[in-house]
Amino acid sequence: MVTLKELAKLLNVSVSTVSKALSDSSEIGENTKRRVTELANELNYKPNRIAQQLKTSKTKVVGVVVPSLMNPFFAEVVHGIETTLENHNYDMMVCISNESLEKEQRSFDLLSTGSVDGFIVAVARETQTNHSIKHFENVGRTTPIVMFDRVLNDVACSKVVVDDFETVYQATKYLIEEENRKHLLLISNIEELSVGKQRIKGYAKAIEEANLKSSVLKLDDEINPDELILEHLKKNLNIDAIISIDHITGIMALNMVKKIDKKVPDDISVIGFDYVDSKFVSSPKISVVNQKGFKIGETSAKLLLDELNSKSRVKHKTIMVKSLLSLNGTTQNK
Amino acid sequence: MVTLKELAKLLNVSVSTVSKALSDSSEIGENTKRRVTELANELNYKPNRIAQQLKTSKTKVVGVVVPSLMNPFFAEVVHGIETTLENHNYDMMVCISNESLEKEQRSFDLLSTGSVDGFIVAVARETQTNHSIKHFENVGRTTPIVMFDRVLNDVACSKVVVDDFETVYQATKYLIEEENRKHLLLISNIEELSVGKQRIKGYAKAIEEANLKSSVLKLDDEINPDELILEHLKKNLNIDAIISIDHITGIMALNMVKKIDKKVPDDISVIGFDYVDSKFVSSPKISVVNQKGFKIGETSAKLLLDELNSKSRVKHKTIMVKSLLSLNGTTQNK
DNA sequence: AAGATAATGGTAACACTTAAAGAGCTTGCA
DNA sequence: TGCAAGCTCTTTAAGTGTTACCATTATCTT
């Protein structure tokens, strides 16, 4: 690795001259600047980022801590984060909590000691159920944190949330009012998450307002969720609309409906949650709530960058990213 | 942030004493060690990683550069990488090339100047078509690189590859020999990738050995791939087996087969490529080639860690991770 | 000749590690 | 008894690559 020192020696100038010349300082003569930059290019000099980071105590790195990357929603958010950071010349260190509190804590511990300028996090399931917030509070004192999707209300930091309640409320209302559905079923495999609870509440409200009967099928950690859905459908042949609040059970339900010889969307409408491939793996293309993962990532990153680049301590913001009801082939779309 | 200096001042010892005490050096008296560690715990001292990194010129960070995280295969590999690195107390910086050569180069440029100890990369589509390898060669001289899946043969580095040829060859052979299929169709949307080419070759070989007619449907960047598949199926009603070489068109084909009123797997068998949700979104559960993404990530990470931890320059290895033919509901499995 | 201006140099600091030196003991042996 | 040798514990110093700040030198103005 070529260093400033070596350049300086080769050019017979001091290290500080080289440093200044390369940062195009007005203190340095044009001639010298040219000589320096030419040699630097020739030897392919690149400043050592670690040394810069130590000196300036800025890393230009953001720590991203998510429960999983195999959940397409998080993958999409991370993609949005990456794109935004990249545009502002930031890098990211990704840690996967695997829904484990301990791992999340370790990641925060490790990265908070100089490695990153700030954090973007979706809290682990375990953190959410245990209500452990110490690691956030400790780090948060010195390092900005932005939470998205899975958010802890009692941690003081900026947040990017999804209008889970409203979204599912609207979707349910659509099925009831526009499609005149009377016997709705909600399917959930994320019942214990805050977002899941919100979504179920949105459903419940719409159902209640219409004076219908609420019906919820919970599938947490089942081995054969599809069979449970099928059974449920067989036992409740009057079901005329299904709303799934995760990215997978909607498609599953769609497949099961076909098995009981009902037509989608004529006999039964299905609304699921979007993910990158949902359009491709379902037939007819499933109608979905599009959560705008990319936008959420983008928004989170921008929020964090704002905090990082303002010297004065900024007030914490909470931004809501609206979901979009995207009606495709499994609803009637009148 | 508490520093060694502050601890030293509070304890009236020198900085190096504190440093050594905390690393449990035998040079330091038990008494002092106790005093130091106690205060360090009390003040929640954590060594500044950046300073450590500068001093030791080890970062304990690996740069991971992948074309996308929204491709579930890469997400799975990255998960495998993360898990392995985590076990060895390494962190990772993830960059997404978005299939762009330029972005890939930028990532390598930036991270290679002190930020990471080594790289794990799946090369971008553009890199592969352009055959640009300079950025790998430059970095590779000083920093170990491990390539996986998308590999460039003319770059000297360790590699983790999938037995693409063999896998599809075997899968095709299975359809021909075990299920007695005569009119096979291969569907591909990754025709221009090296892995795609290999897979098609494997198919071609099996077809040739059986003296059958090769039929390939290419779907690169089509807007409505499902309709093209449907059309193709309608025009070729004698097709009795479909093999897809990516994670999405297999499920798509399965759905299309249902539309032409043929039964899977009685009339037509379907084999696709596995991804995390393929079991859940297909009905019957699709038979797949399981690429073992996690294992690939794990293997890549281990390979890199080996290189990092051996002082002598190690020979570059190429490891093949075998795929697994996982027969589910879309094949006859006699 | 004094002061302004331009160009460059030197030093310290960032937080840490580590080799080498030093201080204060106890031993051992003539 | 005296003192070199050895031991344990601690400090000093040098170094990692960079930047910020202050100092120095040379040249030019008036």
Side-chain angles (χ1 to χ4, degrees):
Chain A
M1 279 288 84
V2 190
T3 66
L4 287 183
K5 213 192 212 172
E6 297 177 54
L7 291 181
K9 189 179 281 175
L10 287 170
L11 290 164
N12 267 315
V13 293
S14 74
V15 170
S16 47
T17 303
V18 180
S19 172
K20 285 175 189 165
L22 288 175
S23 57
D24 203 28
S25 154
S26 62
E27 296 178 64
I28 302 297
E30 286 307 322
N31 239 332
T32 317
K33 272 190 200 169
R34 202 172 313 118
R35 289 209 309 138
V36 171
T37 48
E38 266 169 22
L39 186 67
N41 283 334
E42 198 185 316
L43 300 187
N44 196 26
Y45 167 80
K46 297 271 160 53
N48 182 314
R49 288 182 81 204
I50 301 292
Q52 281 180 322
Q53 290 170 13
L54 179 60
K55 179 67 197 180
T56 61
S57 60
K58 292 245 148 83
T59 63
K60 292 268 202 171
V61 177
V62 168
V64 175
V65 183
V66 289
S68 160
L69 280 180
M70 295 175 59
N71 177 327
F73 171 66
F74 289 123
E76 203 177 326
V77 175
V78 171
H79 186 222
I81 294 173
E82 209 272 347
T83 306
T84 311
L85 291 181
E86 154 79 11
N87 287 339
H88 293 76
N89 282 312
Y90 272 73
D91 286 314
M92 79 184 174
M93 302 197 51
V94 177
C95 293
I96 301 170
S97 67
N98 244 318
E99 306 288 8
S100 139
L101 167 59
E102 191 233 332
K103 176 112 201 273
E104 185 178 277
Q105 285 170 330
R106 254 213 319 284
S107 301
F108 267 74
D109 252 30
L110 212 65
L111 297 189
S112 63
T113 59
S115 293
V116 302
D117 294 344
F119 285 93
I120 299 176
V121 58
V123 303
R125 188 174 292 205
E126 202 185 340
T127 310
Q128 203 159 51
T129 50
N130 283 22
H131 259 278
S132 296
I133 60 169
K134 232 176 287 171
H135 56 301
F136 297 128
E137 287 179 334
N138 290 339
V139 170
R141 264 187 277 282
T142 50
T143 315
I145 299 177
V146 172
M147 288 186 177
F148 73 89
D149 189 54
R150 310 248 202 106
V151 150
L152 294 175
N153 287 324
D154 27 5
V155 176
C157 68
S158 285
K159 283 152 199 156
V160 176
V161 294
V162 181
D163 52 345
D164 290 290
F165 177 91
E166 183 67 16
T167 296
V168 176
Y169 171 68
Q170 292 296 347
T172 311
K173 227 172 135 175
Y174 164 83
L175 289 171
I176 297 170
E177 294 182 1
E178 302 295 321
E179 302 206 344
N180 220 356
R181 301 300 187 180
K182 301 281 182 209
H183 302 279
L184 289 80
L185 169 68
L186 179 142
I187 303 180
S188 157
N189 69 5
I190 51 166
E191 204 270 318
E192 81 287 20
L193 290 179
S194 61
V195 294
K197 295 203 175 88
Q198 284 304 310
R199 288 173 197 171
I200 294 177
K201 276 188 193 159
Y203 166 78
K205 188 185 172 200
I207 291 286
E208 200 190 312
E209 283 178 3
N211 261 317
L212 296 176
K213 203 174 126 265
S214 168
S215 172
V216 173
L217 179 60
K218 290 175 188 167
L219 297 171
D220 298 322
D221 298 321
E222 295 292 342
I223 306 170
N224 288 317
D226 48 349
E227 282 172 20
L228 281 172
I229 295 175
L230 185 58
E231 259 176 57
H232 191 97
L233 289 177
K234 280 181 178 164
K235 275 193 211 137
N236 301 272
L237 287 169
N238 61 348
I239 287 171
D240 55 11
I242 298 174
I243 182 157
S244 150
I245 61 168
D246 59 84
H247 72 273
I248 214 78
T249 54
I251 297 174
M252 217 178 255
L254 173 58
N255 284 326
M256 291 307 113
V257 167
K258 289 179 196 164
K259 286 208 176 182
I260 57 165
D261 281 326
K262 296 230 181 184
K263 291 265 170 290
V264 175
D266 295 339
D267 305 328
I268 301 187
S269 291
V270 177
I271 295 182
F273 263 66
D274 193 32
Y275 81 107
V276 57
D277 289 331
S278 52
K279 273 176 279 321
F280 299 115
V281 297
S282 58
S283 171
K285 292 190 176 65
I286 189 167
S287 294
V288 287
V289 171
N290 183 332
Q291 281 185 96
K292 309 268 194 174
F294 189 91
K295 181 94 180 284
I296 293 172
E298 208 180 9
T299 309
S300 306
K302 278 184 185 158
L303 208 49
L304 183 64
L305 290 173
D306 279 353
E307 291 200 30
L308 291 177
N309 295 326
S310 75
K311 31 246 96 185
S312 60
R313 182 149 297 190
V314 288
K315 270 226 315 252
H316 297 135
K317 286 184 203 162
T318 294
I319 297 181
M320 180 167 281
V321 174
K322 289 228 169 176
S323 304
L324 191 74
L325 190 55
S326 167
L327 298 176
N328 299 311
T330 62
T331 44
Q332 298 180 318
N333 314 329
K334 304 185 231 203
Chain B
M1 280 286 84
V2 191
T3 65
L4 286 184
K5 211 191 211 170
E6 297 176 56
L7 291 181
K9 189 178 280 173
L10 288 169
L11 291 162
N12 266 315
V13 292
S14 75
V15 171
S16 53
T17 303
V18 180
S19 170
K20 285 176 184 167
L22 288 174
S23 57
D24 202 28
S25 156
S26 62
E27 298 176 59
I28 303 296
E30 286 306 323
N31 239 333
T32 318
K33 272 189 198 169
R34 201 172 313 119
R35 291 208 307 138
V36 171
T37 47
E38 266 169 21
L39 185 68
N41 282 335
E42 197 185 316
L43 301 186
N44 196 26
Y45 167 81
K46 297 269 160 53
N48 182 313
R49 288 182 81 206
I50 301 293
Q52 280 180 322
Q53 290 170 14
L54 178 59
K55 179 64 200 181
T56 61
S57 59
K58 292 245 150 82
T59 62
K60 291 266 201 175
V61 177
V62 169
V64 175
V65 183
V66 289
S68 161
L69 280 180
M70 296 175 61
N71 178 328
F73 171 66
F74 288 123
E76 204 177 325
V77 174
V78 171
H79 186 224
I81 293 173
E82 209 271 346
T83 306
T84 312
L85 291 181
E86 154 79 12
N87 287 338
H88 292 77
N89 283 311
Y90 272 73
D91 286 314
M92 81 184 173
M93 302 196 53
V94 177
C95 293
I96 301 170
S97 67
N98 245 317
E99 306 288 7
S100 138
L101 168 60
E102 191 232 333
K103 177 111 200 274
E104 185 178 275
Q105 285 171 330
R106 255 213 318 283
S107 301
F108 267 74
D109 252 30
L110 213 64
L111 297 189
S112 63
T113 60
S115 293
V116 302
D117 294 344
F119 285 92
I120 298 176
V121 58
V123 303
R125 188 174 293 207
E126 202 184 340
T127 310
Q128 204 160 51
T129 50
N130 283 22
H131 259 278
S132 296
I133 61 169
K134 233 176 286 171
H135 55 304
F136 297 128
E137 288 178 334
N138 290 338
V139 170
R141 264 187 277 282
T142 50
T143 316
I145 299 177
V146 172
M147 289 185 176
F148 72 88
D149 189 54
R150 309 245 203 109
V151 150
L152 295 175
N153 287 322
D154 27 4
V155 176
C157 66
S158 285
K159 283 152 200 159
V160 176
V161 294
V162 181
D163 53 344
D164 290 290
F165 177 91
E166 184 67 16
T167 297
V168 176
Y169 171 68
Q170 292 297 348
T172 311
K173 228 171 133 174
Y174 164 83
L175 290 171
I176 297 170
E177 293 182 2
E178 303 295 319
E179 303 206 344
N180 220 354
R181 301 300 189 180
K182 303 281 183 208
H183 302 279
L184 290 80
L185 170 67
L186 180 142
I187 304 180
S188 156
N189 69 5
I190 51 166
E191 203 270 318
E192 81 286 19
L193 292 178
S194 60
V195 293
K197 294 202 176 90
Q198 284 304 310
R199 289 173 196 172
I200 294 177
K201 277 188 194 161
Y203 165 77
K205 188 185 171 199
I207 290 286
E208 200 191 311
E209 284 179 0
N211 262 317
L212 296 175
K213 204 175 126 264
S214 168
S215 171
V216 173
L217 179 59
K218 292 175 186 167
L219 298 171
D220 299 323
D221 299 321
E222 294 293 341
I223 307 169
N224 289 315
D226 48 350
E227 282 173 21
L228 281 173
I229 295 176
L230 185 57
E231 258 176 59
H232 190 95
L233 289 177
K234 280 181 179 165
K235 275 192 211 139
N236 302 271
L237 287 169
N238 60 346
I239 288 171
D240 54 12
I242 298 175
I243 181 158
S244 149
I245 60 168
D246 60 84
H247 72 271
I248 214 78
T249 54
I251 297 174
M252 214 177 255
L254 172 59
N255 284 326
M256 291 308 112
V257 167
K258 291 179 194 161
K259 286 207 174 180
I260 57 164
D261 282 324
K262 296 230 182 184
K263 292 266 170 287
V264 174
D266 295 340
D267 305 329
I268 301 187
S269 290
V270 177
I271 295 182
F273 264 67
D274 193 32
Y275 79 107
V276 58
D277 289 330
S278 52
K279 273 175 279 321
F280 299 116
V281 296
S282 58
S283 172
K285 293 189 177 68
I286 189 167
S287 294
V288 287
V289 171
N290 183 331
Q291 282 185 97
K292 309 271 193 169
F294 189 91
K295 181 94 179 287
I296 293 172
E298 209 181 8
T299 308
S300 305
K302 278 183 185 158
L303 209 48
L304 183 65
L305 291 173
D306 279 353
E307 291 200 30
L308 291 177
N309 294 327
S310 76
K311 31 246 97 188
S312 60
R313 182 148 297 190
V314 288
K315 270 228 315 255
H316 298 134
K317 286 185 203 160
T318 295
I319 297 181
M320 180 167 282
V321 174
K322 287 227 168 177
S323 304
L324 192 73
L325 190 55
S326 167
L327 298 176
N328 300 311
T330 62
T331 43
Q332 299 179 318
N333 314 330
K334 302 184 229 199

